[in-house]
């Protein structure tokens, strides 16, 4: 696969207490509502995985996170730790910050997306709106599944989802979690994911990254 998660939304790929996605079990379900009565951001280019496999990298090391390094966006709007050696892909555009870090073998990713929705989303529609956004971002991936959104006491919403990736000639299950947080007039979406066999091992690092990130919502999006 290439460009594992170059997430891009005119909205859009944070974690407090997330749990790993399940396998292909019955606990996955699409949300009851595929759209909402509230206008939601329309994806400019949905997140995708290449449809044709590429040769598996030669001598690819075991997937693990050893060290973290601090990243600070030039605008100061976001400061966070990221895995050393992961490639940054900046898909930002005017009015939307979109930063994605991919592991060298594209077997794991983290992403932060900050934007102002085109209209005010009431609290009671936030979960459905987030489900619509996530489905629009990732719904075209092979074997895409998502759990129903889980609202949290802090006002955030978590969605766990999964898909199938092609690495070389092999198909691999990919697990991910996305969290929506509203800060002032901004939406902040943080996503982390990894191939299923390694997802449980990396969760603590993902949680550390998510919980340690600092968003300055008073700063205008560049």
């Amino acid at each position: 696969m290439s460009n594992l998660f170059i997430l891009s939304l005119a909205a859009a790929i944070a974690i407090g207490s997330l749990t790993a996605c399940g396998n292909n079990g019955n606990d996955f379900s699409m949300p009851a509502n595929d759209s909402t009565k509230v206008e939601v951001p329309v994806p400019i280019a949905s997140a995708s995985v290449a449809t044709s496999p590429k040769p598996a990298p030669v001598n690819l090391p075991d997937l693990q996170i050893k060290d973290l390094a601090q990243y600070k966006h030039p605008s100061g709007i976001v400061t966070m730790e990221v895995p050393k050696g992961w490639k940054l892909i900046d898909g930002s555009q005017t009015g939307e910050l979109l930063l994605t870090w991919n592991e060298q073998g594209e077997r794991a990713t983290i992403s932060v997306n900050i934007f102002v929705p085109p209209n005010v989303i009431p609290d009671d529609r936030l979960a459905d709106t987030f489900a619509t956004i996530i489905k629009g971002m990732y719904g075209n991936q092979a074997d895409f599944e998502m759990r129903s959104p889980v609202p949290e006491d802090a006002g955030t919403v978590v969605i766990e989802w999964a898909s199938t990736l092609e690495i070389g000639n092999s198909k691999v299950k990919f697990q991910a979690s996305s969290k929506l947080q509203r800060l002032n007039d901004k939406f902040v979406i943080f996503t982390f994911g990894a191939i299923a066999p390694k997802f449980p091992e990396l969760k603590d690092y993902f949680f550390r990254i998510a919980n340690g990130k600092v968003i300055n919502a008073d700063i205008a999006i560049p």
Side-chain angles (χ1 to χ4, degrees):
M1 80 191 154
S2 73
N3 295 333
L4 175 59
F5 284 111
I6 306 178
L7 309 180
S8 162
L9 286 176
I13 255 257
I15 297 334
S17 54
L18 297 181
T19 56
C21 295
N23 296 322
N24 279 333
N26 294 327
D27 54 341
F28 281 103
S29 62
M30 298 303 296
N33 298 323
D34 289 341
S35 61
T36 71
K37 294 181 181 179
V38 177
E39 180 184 354
V40 297
V42 178
I44 293 177
S46 61
S48 62
V49 174
T51 55
S52 58
K54 69 178 182 180
V58 177
N59 298 323
L60 195 64
D62 183 46
L63 174 56
Q64 56 182 305
I65 299 175
K66 293 183 178 180
D67 299 301
L68 298 174
Q70 188 179 72
Y71 169 84
K72 184 175 182 179
H73 189 267
S75 69
I77 195 171
V78 58
T79 302
M80 58 189 289
E81 292 185 309
V82 298
K84 284 186 177 180
W86 286 28
K87 181 181 179 181
L88 169 61
I89 299 173
D90 190 344
S92 304
Q93 56 186 329
T94 302
E96 178 190 10
L97 187 70
L98 179 58
L99 304 171
T100 302
W101 286 265
N102 288 336
E103 181 266 340
Q104 62 174 305
E106 297 184 337
R107 299 167 295 177
T109 188
I110 61 173
S111 179
V112 61
N113 191 197
I114 305 174
F115 61 95
V116 177
N119 61 328
V120 177
I121 310 297
D123 290 342
D124 61 353
R125 302 302 293 170
L126 196 60
D128 285 343
T129 299
F130 190 34
T132 301
I133 292 173
I134 293 298
K135 186 177 179 182
M137 292 169 68
Y138 304 109
N140 64 332
Q141 294 185 14
D143 303 321
F144 174 78
E145 300 173 303
M146 62 183 268
R147 289 180 176 174
S148 296
V150 179
E152 298 182 321
D153 292 340
T156 55
V157 181
V158 173
I159 292 180
E160 297 178 347
W161 54 273
S163 63
T164 298
L165 305 180
E166 291 190 16
I167 302 178
N169 295 320
S170 301
K171 292 185 177 182
V172 182
K173 195 74 174 179
F174 185 88
Q175 296 177 228
S177 291
S178 298
K179 175 179 278 191
L180 172 66
Q181 179 181 20
R182 180 166 21 205
L183 295 175
N184 296 348
D185 62 340
K186 299 176 179 65
F187 275 6
V188 178
I189 297 178
F190 184 89
T191 293
F192 67 70
I195 55 175
K198 289 293 183 176
F199 187 85
E201 298 177 22
L202 300 180
K203 282 196 304 179
D204 287 345
Y205 281 96
F206 289 145
F207 292 162
R208 174 180 167 181
I209 292 169
N211 293 332
K213 76 182 189 310
V214 176
I215 307 296
N216 188 338
D218 292 330
I219 295 178
I221 302 171

